[in-house]
Amino acid sequence: MIKEIKDECKVKMEKAIVSLKSELNTIRAGRANPKILDRVVVEYYGTPTPLNQLANISTPEPRMIMISPWDAKSVGDIEKAILKSDLGLNPSNDGKIIRLVIPQLTEERRKDLVKVAKKTGEDAKIAIRNIRRNANTSLKNAEKETLITEDELKTAEADIQKMTDAEIVNIDEIIADKTKEILEV
């Protein structure tokens, strides 16, 4: 009983960390990163389709993303989708390939991106704490139903707290790395 609750808690915390990392990958840090296009959805023959399923995305230079659509007819649709997205990038299109030049970030924009990264980190910490609370609630219910003893409850709660503390430290490290990446000139 206790092991299942702890295992479930650990899996959920790991998913929260994976979610945080993928969320942070979409924050533009002044260097070309194809992951910033993960949220771009293209209206392709009337069907919303993720951009990465319509084209090869590469970074030939540190400040450029190159999008090579597999269907040359979709170039215009891809360009429209990028313009509609909140990325703030202007695509240049030669009929076959779309190039996105990543502009240098201003100091003010960098500070805004750091705030966004920190908020994302705080959201992840809240998710981790909610997972801890749910696990502790499950343990207390098991104790009320006399499935576990009070001593087992205390030990399990302490173990879950250790897991929570470790993940919070992990989140702080991830956010510190992202902040450093954003502030690099």
Side-chain angles (χ1 to χ4, degrees), residues 153-168:
L153 170 71
K154 295 296 178 201
T155 305
E157 283 179 337
D159 291 345
I160 288 173
Q161 184 60 47
K162 283 179 192 163
M163 272 194 277
T164 303
D165 293 342
E167 294 302 343
I168 297 291

PDB file of all heavy atoms in Angstrom, residues 153-168:
ATOM      1  N   LEU A 153       2.736   5.494   8.786  1.00  0.00           N
ATOM      2  CA  LEU A 153       2.247   6.759   8.214  1.00  0.00           C
ATOM      3  C   LEU A 153       3.314   7.847   8.347  1.00  0.00           C
ATOM      4  O   LEU A 153       3.642   8.528   7.378  1.00  0.00           O
ATOM      5  CB  LEU A 153       0.952   7.194   8.916  1.00  0.00           C
ATOM      6  CG  LEU A 153       0.457   8.618   8.597  1.00  0.00           C
ATOM      7  CD1 LEU A 153      -0.061   8.692   7.173  1.00  0.00           C
ATOM      8  CD2 LEU A 153      -0.620   9.047   9.571  1.00  0.00           C
ATOM      9  N   LYS A 154       3.861   7.992   9.552  1.00  0.00           N
ATOM     10  CA  LYS A 154       4.880   9.037   9.806  1.00  0.00           C
ATOM     11  C   LYS A 154       6.122   8.810   8.941  1.00  0.00           C
ATOM     12  O   LYS A 154       6.671   9.747   8.358  1.00  0.00           O
ATOM     13  CB  LYS A 154       5.270   9.079  11.295  1.00  0.00           C
ATOM     14  CG  LYS A 154       4.141   9.486  12.211  1.00  0.00           C
ATOM     15  CD  LYS A 154       3.679  10.905  11.941  1.00  0.00           C
ATOM     16  CE  LYS A 154       2.518  11.276  12.847  1.00  0.00           C
ATOM     17  NZ  LYS A 154       1.740  12.380  12.344  1.00  0.00           N
ATOM     18  N   THR A 155       6.567   7.564   8.851  1.00  0.00           N
ATOM     19  CA  THR A 155       7.747   7.241   8.043  1.00  0.00           C
ATOM     20  C   THR A 155       7.491   7.543   6.563  1.00  0.00           C
ATOM     21  O   THR A 155       8.327   8.150   5.889  1.00  0.00           O
ATOM     22  CB  THR A 155       8.123   5.750   8.215  1.00  0.00           C
ATOM     23  OG1 THR A 155       8.289   5.481   9.609  1.00  0.00           O
ATOM     24  CG2 THR A 155       9.386   5.404   7.462  1.00  0.00           C
ATOM     25  N   ALA A 156       6.333   7.133   6.083  1.00  0.00           N
ATOM     26  CA  ALA A 156       5.992   7.352   4.672  1.00  0.00           C
ATOM     27  C   ALA A 156       5.864   8.854   4.376  1.00  0.00           C
ATOM     28  O   ALA A 156       6.328   9.323   3.327  1.00  0.00           O
ATOM     29  CB  ALA A 156       4.692   6.631   4.328  1.00  0.00           C
ATOM     30  N   GLU A 157       5.245   9.601   5.289  1.00  0.00           N
ATOM     31  CA  GLU A 157       5.124  11.055   5.089  1.00  0.00           C
ATOM     32  C   GLU A 157       6.513  11.700   5.034  1.00  0.00           C
ATOM     33  O   GLU A 157       6.752  12.600   4.216  1.00  0.00           O
ATOM     34  CB  GLU A 157       4.294  11.692   6.206  1.00  0.00           C
ATOM     35  CG  GLU A 157       2.809  11.470   6.058  1.00  0.00           C
ATOM     36  CD  GLU A 157       1.994  12.092   7.196  1.00  0.00           C
ATOM     37  OE1 GLU A 157       2.546  12.314   8.297  1.00  0.00           O
ATOM     38  OE2 GLU A 157       0.806  12.347   6.972  1.00  0.00           O
ATOM     39  N   ALA A 158       7.423  11.248   5.883  1.00  0.00           N
ATOM     40  CA  ALA A 158       8.794  11.782   5.882  1.00  0.00           C
ATOM     41  C   ALA A 158       9.493  11.461   4.555  1.00  0.00           C
ATOM     42  O   ALA A 158      10.182  12.315   3.982  1.00  0.00           O
ATOM     43  CB  ALA A 158       9.580  11.218   7.054  1.00  0.00           C
ATOM     44  N   ASP A 159       9.287  10.247   4.044  1.00  0.00           N
ATOM     45  CA  ASP A 159       9.888   9.863   2.762  1.00  0.00           C
ATOM     46  C   ASP A 159       9.346  10.727   1.621  1.00  0.00           C
ATOM     47  O   ASP A 159      10.102  11.169   0.749  1.00  0.00           O
ATOM     48  CB  ASP A 159       9.618   8.384   2.457  1.00  0.00           C
ATOM     49  CG  ASP A 159      10.363   7.440   3.394  1.00  0.00           C
ATOM     50  OD1 ASP A 159      11.297   7.919   4.084  1.00  0.00           O
ATOM     51  OD2 ASP A 159      10.014   6.246   3.433  1.00  0.00           O
ATOM     52  N   ILE A 160       8.045  10.954   1.637  1.00  0.00           N
ATOM     53  CA  ILE A 160       7.430  11.780   0.590  1.00  0.00           C
ATOM     54  C   ILE A 160       7.929  13.220   0.695  1.00  0.00           C
ATOM     55  O   ILE A 160       8.177  13.874  -0.317  1.00  0.00           O
ATOM     56  CB  ILE A 160       5.885  11.673   0.656  1.00  0.00           C
ATOM     57  CG1 ILE A 160       5.465  10.287   0.155  1.00  0.00           C
ATOM     58  CG2 ILE A 160       5.222  12.780  -0.162  1.00  0.00           C
ATOM     59  CD1 ILE A 160       4.025   9.959   0.315  1.00  0.00           C
ATOM     60  N   GLN A 161       8.134  13.687   1.923  1.00  0.00           N
ATOM     61  CA  GLN A 161       8.674  15.041   2.104  1.00  0.00           C
ATOM     62  C   GLN A 161      10.093  15.135   1.536  1.00  0.00           C
ATOM     63  O   GLN A 161      10.450  16.122   0.906  1.00  0.00           O
ATOM     64  CB  GLN A 161       8.652  15.450   3.583  1.00  0.00           C
ATOM     65  CG  GLN A 161       9.107  16.869   3.832  1.00  0.00           C
ATOM     66  CD  GLN A 161       8.244  17.900   3.124  1.00  0.00           C
ATOM     67  OE1 GLN A 161       7.019  17.840   3.179  1.00  0.00           O
ATOM     68  NE2 GLN A 161       8.874  18.845   2.433  1.00  0.00           N
ATOM     69  N   LYS A 162      10.900  14.080   1.739  1.00  0.00           N
ATOM     70  CA  LYS A 162      12.265  14.063   1.184  1.00  0.00           C
ATOM     71  C   LYS A 162      12.218  14.122  -0.342  1.00  0.00           C
ATOM     72  O   LYS A 162      12.999  14.836  -0.969  1.00  0.00           O
ATOM     73  CB  LYS A 162      13.014  12.803   1.629  1.00  0.00           C
ATOM     74  CG  LYS A 162      13.501  12.857   3.057  1.00  0.00           C
ATOM     75  CD  LYS A 162      14.203  11.565   3.435  1.00  0.00           C
ATOM     76  CE  LYS A 162      14.423  11.498   4.933  1.00  0.00           C
ATOM     77  NZ  LYS A 162      14.730  10.153   5.396  1.00  0.00           N
ATOM     78  N   MET A 163      11.287  13.347  -0.945  1.00  0.00           N
ATOM     79  CA  MET A 163      11.130  13.365  -2.409  1.00  0.00           C
ATOM     80  C   MET A 163      10.766  14.771  -2.875  1.00  0.00           C
ATOM     81  O   MET A 163      11.308  15.279  -3.848  1.00  0.00           O
ATOM     82  CB  MET A 163      10.013  12.401  -2.844  1.00  0.00           C
ATOM     83  CG  MET A 163      10.447  10.995  -3.093  1.00  0.00           C
ATOM     84  SD  MET A 163       9.153  10.079  -3.975  1.00  0.00           S
ATOM     85  CE  MET A 163       8.104   9.587  -2.625  1.00  0.00           C
ATOM     86  N   THR A 164       9.823  15.381  -2.153  1.00  0.00           N
ATOM     87  CA  THR A 164       9.357  16.724  -2.499  1.00  0.00           C
ATOM     88  C   THR A 164      10.511  17.721  -2.425  1.00  0.00           C
ATOM     89  O   THR A 164      10.717  18.507  -3.356  1.00  0.00           O
ATOM     90  CB  THR A 164       8.217  17.158  -1.547  1.00  0.00           C
ATOM     91  OG1 THR A 164       7.159  16.196  -1.629  1.00  0.00           O
ATOM     92  CG2 THR A 164       7.688  18.530  -1.906  1.00  0.00           C
ATOM     93  N   ASP A 165      11.271  17.672  -1.335  1.00  0.00           N
ATOM     94  CA  ASP A 165      12.400  18.595  -1.174  1.00  0.00           C
ATOM     95  C   ASP A 165      13.417  18.421  -2.302  1.00  0.00           C
ATOM     96  O   ASP A 165      13.934  19.405  -2.843  1.00  0.00           O
ATOM     97  CB  ASP A 165      13.077  18.380   0.186  1.00  0.00           C
ATOM     98  CG  ASP A 165      12.170  18.774   1.361  1.00  0.00           C
ATOM     99  OD1 ASP A 165      11.178  19.510   1.130  1.00  0.00           O
ATOM    100  OD2 ASP A 165      12.452  18.344   2.497  1.00  0.00           O
ATOM    101  N   ALA A 166      13.697  17.175  -2.674  1.00  0.00           N
ATOM    102  CA  ALA A 166      14.665  16.906  -3.742  1.00  0.00           C
ATOM    103  C   ALA A 166      14.173  17.487  -5.077  1.00  0.00           C
ATOM    104  O   ALA A 166      14.953  18.084  -5.826  1.00  0.00           O
ATOM    105  CB  ALA A 166      14.901  15.403  -3.869  1.00  0.00           C
ATOM    106  N   GLU A 167      12.884  17.336  -5.351  1.00  0.00           N
ATOM    107  CA  GLU A 167      12.339  17.857  -6.619  1.00  0.00           C
ATOM    108  C   GLU A 167      12.315  19.387  -6.625  1.00  0.00           C
ATOM    109  O   GLU A 167      12.545  20.008  -7.658  1.00  0.00           O
ATOM    110  CB  GLU A 167      10.947  17.281  -6.898  1.00  0.00           C
ATOM    111  CG  GLU A 167      10.927  15.795  -7.148  1.00  0.00           C
ATOM    112  CD  GLU A 167      11.793  15.313  -8.311  1.00  0.00           C
ATOM    113  OE1 GLU A 167      12.201  16.127  -9.161  1.00  0.00           O
ATOM    114  OE2 GLU A 167      12.070  14.111  -8.355  1.00  0.00           O
ATOM    115  N   ILE A 168      12.052  19.997  -5.484  1.00  0.00           N
ATOM    116  CA  ILE A 168      12.063  21.468  -5.388  1.00  0.00           C
ATOM    117  C   ILE A 168      13.476  21.988  -5.674  1.00  0.00           C
ATOM    118  O   ILE A 168      13.659  22.957  -6.421  1.00  0.00           O
ATOM    119  CB  ILE A 168      11.563  21.943  -3.999  1.00  0.00           C
ATOM    120  CG1 ILE A 168      10.106  21.541  -3.757  1.00  0.00           C
ATOM    121  CG2 ILE A 168      11.758  23.441  -3.834  1.00  0.00           C
ATOM    122  CD1 ILE A 168       9.063  22.228  -4.584  1.00  0.00           C
TER     123      ILE A 168
END
